[in-house]
Every structure is written in structure tokens, then in C-alpha cells.
């Protein structure tokens, strides 16, 4: 199979209209498909697109690339085509590892269209040129990143808000980078700090705010059409103030007029991982304060009292159980003497009775019900894989039969063409009259044309059958391998839940709904197998 790899970075939009159009997904797709159609050996293969839209080329932790790499390692994808080397990646060392070690070892052909590079027809004296191109791409990315970071650092040093203004403030239209107080929102912030200073806990403050019908941050931004935040949405129609939302405001030192620079930074250019900044820069009196520093310090005592110890053990459905009524995550209660359970604390935390179930769902009961449904889902997955395998076997058999038929027709065609050549030689040597030559030549030409027409029909059938290949088979096979790892399990484990379960929606202790991580993949595989 041919893998058409397409990558577009968000930074590609920043360097002029020509580059933005040149590197667009549509442009890359058009270029790659046209290239495939020009080469007969590639045109006969199945082709699949792998698109990473909005991902940096400085690392290879991109979803579509990793999916393609899995298929490369399984030798399902045998040819990889990109627009140019920079679309493949901008990290010189890692690019060299793929192009000079991994791909040659696996026998994977690599083609860069714009660079006129094809490892299947590689010329050794071009290796220096390819290495230099990768070095230039890596340098370009590092230099670009350095300039962007330098610009951001300068804005931080100047105390500029180049991102959205915090709740309680608005961007100053007259002075870019500065913020002004939004008095209506600031009144809500001051009210929260006042309650905290009076000794109320975050949950108690949330209940009071809900009782007073004070809008949440998202609701306020939407109602007041705050610039850049007007489309703010809550998770549920029952959204209300919670202890967590209150705490996020009480912990924000920005309300004292203090500007705090980045608290975390990437460990390296292109890296996803970030690290805490030991001492983030603070600029006092940078903008108008909503509360005094003394009020802020006093409110922090409430936060310290509200802290609870984290759960001491890891349980299978951690952060996966949601209330079927309000849509919020259910709270896990770890009991020492009684059994652990899940419950929805929306009513107790917000002070609003919105119809959420009052039952505490025992963890063991929920785990057992989920495990039963997981077993059923595994059987469905096995059926899907079996159907796909059966469909693939029929397809391969069909291709094999068409191949035999095409070989036979090609043999017949070759024989007629040889006979036609011999006929011409007889005529040129004078061993045959012109009339006989013309008659037999027309007969042979008619037979040749007929065989060519049959061959074209076979090739069309073969092309349609190749395109009918189920591209999800490798992913299903990977999933099936994971299923086999757990076939002897007798209860739900953390690993099983992490691999297969997206979330569990509980309406009560007897009615649950499970969203599987690979549900769409299995459903499509089943529907394609039936068709």
C-alpha cells in the first residue's frame, strides 16, 4: 500500500500567502495523487492518506504519522510519499534515522516529490544533498521557534496580555497588551474574595453564588458578548458554580494587579513535554487591581483548609464515570470500612436540585456491570475482525483469479502479436501475396483488439477490487491483539479500562451506557463487511 503523508503546521499561515497556499492540505493532496497516477507501479497499488493538520515538524509525535508508522512496521505500507522533506519532518537527527535506517531496513520506499527524490531509484552522490536539506529544515524550524519565543518573552517582560483577558477584565482597545477592569464581572470576583475572607469554603461559596443566581464565568462571557469569549460554553445545561471554579478565581494573583509570566515552558524546541518554571517573573502594579494584596492573602487560608487528600489507590474507572442527567463527572468516594462508591454531587455542591440520581453506586457493582458489557463488546469486535478477514480473503482470491485470467489473456495476446510479426516477415520475404497478407493481418488485428479490450475490463475489475480493500484491518488486528491479552481476566482492571473505555454514563445503579474508545472503527468495519 502507498501512504500519502500530508502535514500542515499552524505556523505555515504566518509567512505569506504563497507559502500558505503552497503548503495547504488541498495542494499537497492534489500534488501527491497526480504523482501516483503518473507512475504505473504506484497506480496499481492501494493508496491511503495520512493527514496531520496543525502539527509541528520538529517532532514525530503526530497521530496520523504514528498510525502510518505502525502500518510501515507491519509492512502494510510499503511506499511513503511526501510533498517535500520539510513536510515529513524538520528534526535532522530523527529524519536521518527514518530515511537511512528504519525505512531501508523494512524495505520501505520513500519519495519526496518536490525534491525529486526516490529511494527506489536512489543515486548515492545525492546523499550529501539530502542530508544538507534536512539540516536546513531543522535549522529553519529552530530559528523560527527562537524568534517566536523571543517575541513572547519580550511581551511577558513588558507585562502584556497578548492572550485573552482574565475574568473581571477586558482588553484595552486603546492600548494593545493592556487590560482594564470590567466592573460588572469584577463585582462577582470581589464578592467571591469577600466570602472567602469571611471563612466560607469554596463549596459553600459556590452554593451561595448559585442561590443568588449569579452567572458562571462562561455564562457571563456569553451574555455580555465579551470579545474573544462570546462563544464560551458550559459542559451541561445544568452548569453552575462549583468549588473548583471558585478556587480557580481565588488562586489567581492577577486580581491584585500582579502580572505573572509563563509558569511552564517546553523542555526543548518541538517537544510536547513542559516543565515548571522555578521562579516565574512577577510584575506588581502592572494593571488595575480588583482586590487588595491583603484580601488575596487572607483568602488563601480558605483554600488551604479546603484541600483534601488524594485517593490513595488507582481504581479502574477513574475519571471515566459521568452523571447521565447533568453530564458532569461523578465523585469517587473511597471508604475504609464501607465499600467504595460513585455519586453525583451536583446538587450538594451547587445547591440546585436538577434531578440527578441520589443513589450511591457501589464500585464493585459498577465494575461488574461494565466488565459484563466489555466481554460482549469484545465478542462483537471478534465478529467484526472475522468478517473483515473473510471479506479480505474473498478479495484476495478474486484478485488472484483476475491475475490468472489476465496472465492467460496476456499469453494469448503475445502469441497473436508474434504471429502478426511472422506474417509481416513472410510478406516482406515474398512468401505471401498482398491479398493473403491483408486478410490474415486484419483477422489477427481484430483478435488483438478484442484481447486488449478484455484485458482493459479485467484491469478495471482489478482496480475496483483493490480499492475495495478494508483500510481498517491493521487497526482492527492491533485491537484484537489487545483483546487476546485480557481473554483470561475475570474482572475489570485498570489496564482494560484504559485500553477500551472512553467513558461510562450512569443514570442509576442499574442503567449505564458505555462509550468505547474504538466504537466507530468497529461499527464501520461491521457495516463495510456487510456491504
Amino acid at each position: 500500500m502507498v501512504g500519502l503523508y500530508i502535514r500542515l503546521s499552524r505556523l505555515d499561515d504566518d509567512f505569506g500567502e504563497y507559502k500558505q497556499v503552497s503548503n495547504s492540505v488541498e495542494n499537497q493532496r492534489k500534488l501527491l495523487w497526480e504523482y501516483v497516477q503518473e507512475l504505473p507501479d504506484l497506480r496499481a497499488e492501494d493508496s491511503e492518506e495520512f493527514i496531520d493538520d496543525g502539527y509541528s515538524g520538529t517532532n514525530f509525535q503526530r497521530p496520523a504519522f504514528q498510525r502510518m508508522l505502525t502500518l510501515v512496521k507491519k509492512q502494510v505500507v510499503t511506499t511513503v510519499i511526501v510533498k517535500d522533506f520539510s513536510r515529513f519532518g524538520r528534526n535532522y537527527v530523527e529524519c536521518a534515522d527514518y530515511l537511512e535506517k528504519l525505512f531501508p531496513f523494512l524495505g520501505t520506499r520513500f519519495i519526496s516529490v518536490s525534491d525529486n527524490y526516490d529511494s527506489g531509484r536512489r543515486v548515492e552522490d545525492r546523499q550529501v544533498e539530502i542530508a544538507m536539506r534536512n539540516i536546513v529544515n531543522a535549522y529553519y524550524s529552530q530559528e523560527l521557534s527562537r524568534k517566536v519565543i523571543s517575541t513572547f518573552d519580550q511581551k511577558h517582560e513588558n507585562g502584556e496580555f497578548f492572550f485573552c483577558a482574565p475574568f473581571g477584565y477586558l482588553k484595552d482597545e486603546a492600548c494593545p497588551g493592556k487590560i482594564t477592569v470590567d466592573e460588572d464581572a469584577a463585582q462577582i470576583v470581589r464578592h467571591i474574595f469577600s466570602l472567602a475572607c469571611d471563612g466560607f469554603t469554596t463549596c459553600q461559596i459556590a452554593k451561595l453564588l448559585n442561590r443568588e443566581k449569579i452567572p458562571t464565568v462562561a455564562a457571563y462571557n456569553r451574555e455580555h458578548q465579551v470579545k474573544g469569549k462570546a462563544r464560551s460554553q458550559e459542559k451541561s445545561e445544568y452548569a453552575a458554580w462549583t468549588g473548583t471554579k471558585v478556587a480557580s478565581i481565588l488562586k489567581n494573583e492577577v486580581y491584585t494587579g500582579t502580572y505573572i509570566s509563563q509558569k511552564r515552558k517546553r523542555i526543548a524546541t518541538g517537544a510536547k513535554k513542559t516543565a515548571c518554571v522555578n521562579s516565574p517573573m512577577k510584575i506588581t502594579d502592572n494593571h488595575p487591581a480588583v482586590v487588595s494584596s491583603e484580601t488575596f492573602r487572607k483568602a488563601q487560608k480558605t483554600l488551604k483548609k479546603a484541600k483534601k487528600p488524594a485517593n490513595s489507590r488507582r481504581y479502574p474507572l477513574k475519571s471515566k464515570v459521568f452523571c447521565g442527567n447533568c453530564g458532569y463527572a461523578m465523585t469517587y468516594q473511597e471508604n475504609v470500612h464501607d465499600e467504595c462508591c460513585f455519586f453525583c454531587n451536583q446538587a450538594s455542591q451547587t445547591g440546585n436540585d436538577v434531578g440527578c440520581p441520589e443513589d450511591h453506586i457501589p464500585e464493585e457493582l459498577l465494575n461488574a456491570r461494565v466488565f459484563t458489557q466489555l466481554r460482549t463488546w469484545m465478542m462483537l469486535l471478534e465478529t467484526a475482525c472475522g468478517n473483515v478477514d473473510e471479506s479480505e480473503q474473498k478479495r484476495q482470491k478474486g484478485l488472484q483469479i483476475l491475475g490468472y485470467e489476465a496472465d492467460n489473456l496476456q499469453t494469448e495476446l503475445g502469441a497473436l502479436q508474434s504471429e502478426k510479426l511472422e506474417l509481416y516477415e513472410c510478406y516482406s520475404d515474398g512468401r505471401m501475396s498482398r491479398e493473403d497478407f491483408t486478410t490474415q493481418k486484419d483477422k489477427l488485428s481484430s483478435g488483438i483488439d478484442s484481447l486488449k479490450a478484455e484485458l482493459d475490463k479485467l484491469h478495471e475489475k482489478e482496480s475496483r477490487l483493490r480499492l475495495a480493500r478494508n483500510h481498517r484491518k491493521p487497526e482492527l488486528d492491533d485491537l484484537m491483539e489487545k483483546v487476546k491479552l485480557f481473554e483470561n481476566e475475570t474482572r475489570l482492571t485498570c489496564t482494560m479500562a484504559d485500553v477500551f473505555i472512553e467513558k461510562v454514563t450512569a443514570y442509576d445503579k442499574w442503567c449505564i451506557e458505555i462509550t468505547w474508545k474504538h466504537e466507530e472503527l468497529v461499527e464501520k468495519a461491521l457495516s463495510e463487511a456487510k456491504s
Side-chain angles (χ1 to χ4, degrees):
M1 185 171 78
V2 178
L4 309 179
Y5 183 68
I6 297 169
R7 182 184 68 81
L8 182 67
S9 170
R10 288 187 294 271
L11 291 178
D12 284 324
D13 295 341
D14 301 334
F15 296 92
E17 184 179 352
Y18 170 75
K19 183 172 181 181
Q20 182 177 349
V21 172
S22 172
N23 284 332
S24 70
V25 170
E26 285 304 317
N27 179 272
Q28 292 182 60
R29 175 184 285 126
K30 183 171 180 282
L31 179 73
L32 298 185
W33 278 107
E34 286 178 353
Y35 185 84
V36 167
Q37 294 304 313
E38 288 174 3
L39 297 183
D41 56 332
L42 296 179
R43 190 168 59 242
E45 292 283 331
D46 297 332
S47 297
E48 184 173 348
E49 294 177 357
F50 299 88
I51 303 174
D52 280 318
D53 194 351
Y55 287 86
S56 169
T58 53
N59 68 77
F60 287 88
Q61 299 307 310
R62 314 170 213 144
F65 181 85
Q66 290 299 320
R67 185 164 61 89
M68 181 181 72
L69 185 60
T70 300
L71 299 181
V72 166
K73 291 177 179 178
K74 289 178 173 289
Q75 297 187 325
V76 174
V77 171
T78 54
T79 302
V80 174
I81 307 180
V82 296
K83 174 182 176 282
D84 55 50
F85 285 110
S86 68
R87 298 302 95 196
F88 184 70
R90 293 188 183 275
N91 185 309
Y92 165 65
V93 176
E94 288 193 71
C95 278
D97 283 340
Y98 284 111
L99 301 184
E100 297 175 14
K101 295 178 182 177
L102 181 63
F103 285 178
F105 174 75
L106 295 173
T108 305
R109 181 180 175 186
F110 180 82
I111 299 173
S112 176
V113 179
S114 298
D115 298 306
N116 194 27
Y117 175 82
D118 184 347
S119 65
R121 294 187 288 272
R122 182 166 54 185
V123 180
E124 292 302 325
D125 59 8
R126 288 204 64 201
Q127 295 314 296
V128 175
E129 176 193 343
I130 302 307
M132 288 303 298
R133 282 182 183 271
N134 285 328
I135 291 173
V136 169
N137 286 331
Y139 174 77
Y140 169 84
S141 183
Q142 290 174 358
E143 185 66 12
L144 174 61
S145 179
R146 186 189 64 78
K147 289 179 180 178
V148 171
I149 291 172
S150 176
T151 302
F152 284 172
D153 286 345
Q154 186 61 50
K155 288 180 179 291
H156 281 303
E157 289 176 11
N158 295 336
E160 295 183 32
F161 287 83
F162 53 92
F163 40 84
C164 290
F167 178 68
Y169 290 95
L170 294 172
K171 297 293 285 288
D172 190 343
E173 298 294 337
C175 188
K178 297 300 179 181
I179 56 175
T180 58
V181 175
D182 178 0
E183 280 302 329
D184 290 338
Q187 287 298 327
I188 299 174
V189 174
R190 293 190 187 106
H191 185 38
I192 290 173
F193 273 94
S194 175
L195 291 171
C197 290
D198 289 340
F200 288 91
T201 65
T202 54
C203 289
Q204 289 171 337
I205 294 173
K207 287 182 181 179
L208 288 171
L209 295 176
N210 292 321
R211 194 176 298 139
E212 294 169 7
K213 305 295 183 184
I214 294 175
T216 61
V217 174
Y220 179 91
N221 290 333
R222 190 168 60 253
E223 289 171 11
H224 290 75
Q225 292 294 298
V226 177
K227 189 174 181 180
K229 300 179 181 179
R231 295 184 180 180
S232 299
Q233 294 290 333
E234 291 281 12
K235 291 181 181 179
S236 165
E237 60 180 305
Y238 304 110
W241 284 100
T242 63
T244 302
K245 292 177 183 178
V246 170
S248 66
I249 289 178
L250 292 175
K251 288 188 289 187
N252 199 341
E253 202 171 347
V254 73
Y255 294 115
T256 65
T258 302
Y259 180 92
I260 303 176
S261 66
Q262 288 175 296
K263 296 180 180 180
R264 301 185 69 86
K265 283 190 175 183
R266 296 186 188 277
I267 58 175
T269 302
K272 294 291 183 184
K273 190 175 181 180
T274 59
C276 290
V277 177
N278 292 330
S279 53
M281 181 183 66
K282 292 186 179 182
I283 303 175
T284 56
D285 300 324
N286 179 72
H287 51 271
V290 172
V291 298
S292 67
S293 298
E294 183 181 351
T295 299
F296 180 81
R297 285 193 295 271
K298 191 174 180 181
Q300 302 314 296
K301 296 177 181 179
T302 300
L303 290 173
K304 290 179 182 178
K305 290 178 183 178
K307 282 188 178 180
K308 294 181 180 180
N311 293 317
S312 59
R313 71 182 184 89
R314 185 168 180 255
Y315 48 97
L317 296 176
K318 183 177 182 179
S319 304
K320 293 181 183 292
V321 184
F322 294 81
C323 175
N325 181 64
C326 67
Y328 278 86
M330 297 186 83
T331 302
Y332 178 75
Q333 184 173 343
E334 184 178 359
N335 297 323
V336 179
H337 303 294
D338 198 4
E339 62 180 344
C340 304
C341 61
F342 292 91
F343 67 95
C344 182
N345 67 349
Q346 184 76 352
S348 62
Q349 193 173 35
T350 65
N352 296 332
D353 184 5
V354 293
C356 296
E358 298 180 0
D359 293 342
H360 284 50
I361 305 175
E363 182 190 12
E364 286 300 322
L365 175 63
L366 186 60
N367 286 353
R369 293 181 63 79
V370 170
F371 181 73
T372 301
Q373 292 195 32
L374 177 57
R375 278 296 183 194
T376 303
W377 190 79
M378 285 179 173
M379 291 172 63
L380 184 66
L381 174 61
E382 191 172 354
T383 302
C385 288
N387 290 344
V388 169
D389 287 341
E390 185 179 348
S391 176
E392 185 64 16
Q393 287 172 7
K394 288 180 180 178
R395 193 181 72 88
Q396 291 293 343
K397 189 175 181 180
L399 286 173
Q400 192 176 23
I401 292 171
L402 288 175
Y404 288 145
E405 292 178 2
D407 288 344
N408 291 334
L409 287 175
Q410 196 68 53
T411 302
E412 291 181 38
L413 181 62
L416 289 181
Q417 288 173 335
S418 297
E419 191 176 341
K420 188 176 180 181
L421 181 61
E422 290 175 5
L423 185 68
Y424 179 76
E425 289 175 352
C426 288
Y427 173 68
S428 354
D429 293 343
R431 289 178 286 155
M432 179 179 289
S433 67
R434 180 180 181 80
E435 184 179 348
D436 290 342
F437 169 72
T438 303
T439 302
Q440 292 187 44
K441 186 196 74 160
D442 290 345
K443 184 178 179 181
L444 288 172
S445 295
S446 176
I448 289 171
D449 290 342
S450 177
L451 286 175
K452 284 183 177 179
E454 287 185 50
L455 270 173
D456 287 341
K457 289 180 180 178
L458 282 179
H459 287 151
E460 286 179 13
K461 287 182 180 179
E462 185 180 18
S463 179
R464 286 197 298 269
L465 208 52
R466 286 186 183 279
L467 290 175
R469 176 183 174 275
N470 194 313
H471 298 297
R472 296 174 183 82
K473 187 177 185 306
E475 293 178 79
L476 284 169
D477 289 342
D478 279 346
L479 197 54
M480 201 60 211
E481 287 178 12
K482 293 173 182 175
V483 168
K484 291 176 181 176
L485 293 175
F486 306 114
E487 59 186 2
N488 295 323
E489 294 287 353
T490 57
R491 57 186 301 165
L492 185 68
T493 66
C494 294
T495 310
M496 291 171 72
D498 290 343
V499 171
F500 298 113
I501 298 172
E502 185 69 39
K503 76 173 189 177
V504 177
T505 304
Y507 297 92
D508 56 47
K509 67 172 63 177
W510 305 114
C511 182
I512 64 171
E513 185 179 285
I514 302 175
T515 304
W516 309 104
K517 280 192 175 179
H518 308 277
E519 193 167 1
E520 186 179 354
L521 173 68
V522 176
E523 286 177 356
K524 285 185 177 180
L526 285 169
S527 62
E528 287 174 2
K530 289 177 182 177
S531 60

